[in-house]
Amino acid sequence: MSGDVVIIYVSVHHGNTEKIAKAISSILGARLVKPWEIQPDEVVEYKLAGFGSGIYYWRHHTALIRLAEKLPPAPGKMAFIFSTAGIPLKMINHRALKKILVGKRYRLIGDFTCRGWDTNGVLARIGGLNKGHPNEKDLEKAVKFALRLKRILEEKNN
């Protein structure tokens, strides 16, 4: 499966999203890159592309959104979305990024989110939210998510 999967992510403050990206990559054997390290036309060369970041003001990181907007159409190419966030998970949606990818005709095969340590703005004064996350349980959930993605990819290859 090596060479079939790319994970494009941004992890800024505490490495929350990077931990999740690495957990998913450990199962998929994915190439890990930042949005500024890959060209939009390179992304469509992969059978599966993952897009993830922390959630900033209810959206994925601007650099990830900008890359997604520049992607060429990719009818039927598979993609997944992931995130980490300080806000309650029930409030998380990946709507903006999903809309862009669906508009580029990607086939979304899953999305994942978990809590991440958040010390942005005034939260720093109180020690932040979700200190210690992602934790081992969060990483186990990310691995289970990656195993589901791997099964889908293997089915598509057979």
Side-chain angles (χ1 to χ4, degrees):
M1 196 167 313
S2 183
D4 291 344
V5 184
V6 65
I7 296 175
I8 306 154
Y9 74 99
V10 180
S11 188
V12 177
H13 296 287
H14 301 290
N16 300 328
T17 305
E18 185 169 57
K19 290 174 188 172
I20 298 301
K22 286 181 175 181
I24 294 170
S25 177
S26 73
I27 300 301
L28 299 176
R31 175 184 173 203
L32 293 171
V33 298
K34 307 293 192 309
W36 49 88
E37 297 173 339
I38 191 166
Q39 294 300 312
D41 57 336
E42 284 180 77
V43 177
V44 296
E45 296 173 11
Y46 292 88
K47 292 180 182 177
L48 176 61
F51 300 87
S53 77
I55 298 296
Y56 304 91
Y57 305 102
W58 309 100
R59 291 178 53 147
H60 283 86
H61 192 279
T62 304
L64 194 66
I65 296 291
R66 277 196 217 123
L67 175 70
E69 290 171 339
K70 293 177 185 173
L71 293 172
K77 287 283 185 174
M78 294 185 292
F80 66 93
I81 298 171
F82 65 102
S83 65
T84 58
I87 59 177
L89 298 182
K90 290 179 184 174
M91 299 173 77
I92 297 293
N93 70 62
H94 297 141
R95 187 177 313 144
L97 188 52
K98 280 182 182 178
K99 183 177 179 181
I100 294 166
L101 294 174
V102 168
K104 302 289 183 170
R105 301 187 53 208
Y106 274 87
R107 181 177 151 229
L108 295 176
I109 62 170
D111 65 320
F112 176 86
T113 193
C114 73
R115 289 186 281 171
W117 186 25
D118 186 350
T119 58
N120 278 329
V122 71
L123 294 175
R125 292 183 189 162
I126 62 167
L129 296 176
N130 305 318
K131 190 168 185 171
H133 286 274
N135 60 20
E136 286 303 315
K137 192 172 183 178
D138 297 323
L139 296 174
E140 287 172 17
K141 288 178 183 178
V143 165
K144 287 179 184 176
F145 172 72
L147 288 168
R148 286 193 304 271
L149 296 174
K150 185 176 181 178
R151 281 192 296 275
I152 293 168
L153 189 57
E154 287 171 345
E155 288 171 7
K156 174 110 173 140
N157 287 338
N158 291 332

